[in-house]
Amino acid sequence: MMQVPAGALRAADKSPAPTARAASVGHLDFYHYDSMDVLSYEPICRYLDNAALVAPASDGVLDFARAELYFRQRGLTFQTEPSGDAAAVVGTQYFWTLGRPQYKRVPVLRLMYSLSEKGGAAHGKEWSDWFDAVLCPGPYSQRLLQRWGRRAIIVGFPKYDDYFRGRYRAGAVRAKFGLDAKRKCALYLPTWAHHSSVDRFAAAIRELAHGGEYQVLYKPHTVTTRLERHRIECFRSEIEAGQLVCIEEQSNMAELLLVADVVLADGMSGAFWEAVIVSDRPVLALHVHGEFERVLMDARVEDFAPVCDEPAALRRSIERATCAHVIQPSPRVLLANELLSYRDGSAGQRAAEVIAELAAEEDSRSWAVLRREVRYRTWRAVHAARSDRSLQRLRHPVLTVRNGLRRLVQT
């Protein structure tokens, strides 16, 4: 198999790294919706004097225990309430999570946390409508967001900065997760809900782990760890036998990609694109639905990796993925140029500078406070209306039909 030379993706992006430390403009709150958000926030906060990691212990959505464990392990200071003097707040999704009185007059910024070759929710109007600006990973996302009239600024993908700088060491990662260096590592990255491959491929994954050639490294989706425990417990025997290593704690996927010999990722997941773009590892896309769903899969999955539809064919598909010349350097780099800018480890610093500048810029506009106050009150009214059960009964079918039509048009 022809692999991308080490550093090829980094070298493809020639933009100079920033040198100036981001200016301090008062408290900049980085608000957590999920424990995985800290992976995106931490590389940015390194360059901000007054950054505040906010993990709301009382919010039922946040998996607080996993977030707190990560903070403690990394020696990060965090708070459970918004800053009373925040100059701006950064979130990753769902404006309603930031609908706190402390934030009603400050700039509200969205940092994209995933990569995808297709539109989806991350590039949708609803996810970005209420934000002052969206910080996105590359030109592709910027174009999709600008369709809605959103201010989209390219900053790269901060959570992979250390990977691009070569700061991870394979031996240390194997020791950290208890991996057997004498066996090949199959990294399994399923998504959650109805697109997850676990239910259909669990028996095939167990058989792969029993074979001895591969030790399976299983990274369940962050939602699976707290709401879909059956998709972890189905591998309990293999976990206890050491044939399958399950990582429930919050960890950077970049570490896992470093030690993988092959990546098994669901074709409808952002993890698939991260594996294809960031690493030089063979990738196999798992598909769990019928032909109609296959049409709706991210448009170019099969241009970059084989697709396995049948669990019985998993081992053969892995061999095909590792042996076939499926992922060529040129199209891979072209894709990376579209989806992911600043692959030189500078994304965190760039994002910090942009956030500080936006906070200072918005604060200097006398009319902006009134505009944000109106936006906050409007959002409260809209959120209250959407929470009404009678309206939900009408809204959900309409949205389902609308989204289905949009997908058909995109394909």
Side-chain angles (χ1 to χ4, degrees):
M1 173 181 159
M2 184 182 294
Q3 293 186 336
V4 181
L9 297 186
R10 279 162 272 177
D13 194 320
K14 300 296 185 180
S15 303
T19 56
R21 185 175 176 86
S24 177
V25 293
H27 275 105
L28 299 171
D29 280 10
F30 289 78
Y31 203 89
H32 289 70
Y33 173 80
D34 192 287
S35 63
M36 68 178 178
D37 291 341
V38 70
L39 303 175
S40 299
Y41 293 157
E42 183 184 3
I44 301 173
C45 294
R46 296 171 187 170
Y47 301 97
L48 292 166
D49 292 326
N50 291 337
L53 293 169
V54 183
S58 60
D59 194 325
V61 178
L62 173 68
D63 47 338
F64 181 80
R66 293 177 77 220
E68 184 179 32
L69 177 62
Y70 187 89
F71 294 139
R72 304 296 186 198
Q73 291 174 337
R74 301 284 291 179
L76 299 172
T77 302
F78 71 98
Q79 59 196 54
T80 57
E81 295 294 334
S83 299
D85 60 344
V89 58
V90 180
T92 58
Q93 53 191 307
Y94 302 126
F95 181 88
W96 59 264
T97 63
L98 306 176
R100 305 295 195 269
Q102 296 92 331
Y103 299 144
K104 67 181 180 180
R105 296 185 176 183
V106 304
V108 180
L109 312 174
R110 178 180 165 229
L111 175 69
M112 289 187 65
Y113 71 89
S114 68
L115 300 173
S116 179
E117 193 273 341
K118 201 170 184 178
H123 297 103
K125 186 175 188 293
E126 189 172 4
W127 271 34
S128 300
D129 239 2
W130 300 93
F131 292 87
D132 292 292
V134 182
L135 311 185
C136 58
Y140 179 83
S141 293
Q142 185 183 54
R143 288 197 301 272
L144 291 187
L145 291 165
Q146 287 176 340
R147 294 178 304 173
W148 317 118
R150 292 298 88 200
R151 185 177 186 184
I153 303 169
I154 299 173
V155 298
F157 209 49
K159 81 172 186 177
Y160 280 105
D161 276 359
D162 284 348
Y163 178 86
F164 288 135
R165 287 174 178 162
R167 291 184 175 176
Y168 295 124
R169 294 292 178 266
V173 174
R174 291 192 186 96
K176 176 180 176 180
F177 297 116
L179 294 174
D180 185 352
K182 297 179 181 179
R183 299 168 67 190
K184 293 180 181 179
C185 176
L187 174 58
Y188 181 37
L189 301 171
T191 187
W192 67 293
H194 62 287
H195 286 311
S196 174
S197 61
V198 173
D199 297 343
R200 188 176 182 199
F201 278 82
I205 295 294
R206 288 196 293 267
E207 183 180 345
L208 180 68
H210 291 162
E213 179 183 3
Y214 285 97
Q215 186 173 30
V216 177
L217 180 56
Y218 173 35
K219 180 66 172 67
H221 191 279
T222 182
V223 176
T224 298
T225 59
R226 61 182 187 273
L227 298 179
E228 301 174 337
R229 297 299 304 178
H230 65 285
R231 287 177 170 161
I232 295 175
E233 293 306 315
C234 65
F235 297 114
R236 181 56 55 191
S237 296
E238 288 71 29
I239 293 172
E240 293 176 353
Q243 299 165 330
L244 183 147
V245 176
C246 180
I247 303 175
E248 293 192 47
E249 65 192 65
Q250 197 54 263
S251 58
N252 198 318
M253 203 172 82
E255 293 183 280
L256 312 185
L257 292 172
L258 187 68
V259 298
D261 292 288
V262 62
V263 180
L264 315 178
D266 290 355
M268 297 289 280
S269 72
F272 171 85
W273 293 106
E274 290 182 40
V276 165
I277 294 169
V278 173
S279 78
D280 61 353
R281 303 304 190 235
V283 181
L284 177 66
L286 304 182
H287 177 231
V288 297
H289 298 296
E291 189 61 32
F292 179 71
E293 279 285 344
R294 183 156 184 162
V295 170
L296 298 181
M297 286 177 71
D298 280 334
R300 295 193 291 163
V301 166
E302 292 181 89
D303 289 352
F304 298 95
V307 174
C308 179
D309 296 273
E310 296 297 332
L314 180 62
R315 188 174 288 275
R316 294 195 305 274
S317 297
I318 290 174
E319 293 174 358
R320 185 157 53 98
T322 54
C323 296
H325 296 274
V326 175
I327 305 176
Q328 300 291 342
S330 294
R332 181 189 180 93
V333 171
L334 289 174
L335 178 72
N337 288 341
E338 278 288 281
L339 268 64
L340 184 57
S341 299
Y342 309 127
R343 301 184 301 279
D344 55 2
S346 69
Q349 189 164 357
R350 291 176 185 275
E353 291 176 344
V354 168
I355 291 168
E357 290 169 5
L358 287 173
E361 171 189 308
E362 289 289 327
D363 189 56
S364 67
R365 299 176 180 177
S366 59
W367 53 267
V369 174
L370 177 60
R371 177 174 60 83
R372 289 194 289 269
E373 177 86 27
V374 171
R375 175 186 63 184
Y376 175 77
R377 294 185 181 280
T378 303
W379 168 81
R380 289 293 294 258
V382 171
H383 185 65
R386 286 182 174 177
S387 300
D388 183 88
R389 289 185 178 276
S390 59
L391 289 177
Q392 284 180 353
R393 294 191 188 97
L394 294 174
R395 179 172 178 264
H396 287 186
V398 171
L399 288 180
T400 300
V401 173
R402 184 201 68 182
N403 293 337
L405 291 174
R406 281 181 177 173
R407 288 176 183 143
L408 289 174
V409 170
Q410 288 175 347
T411 56

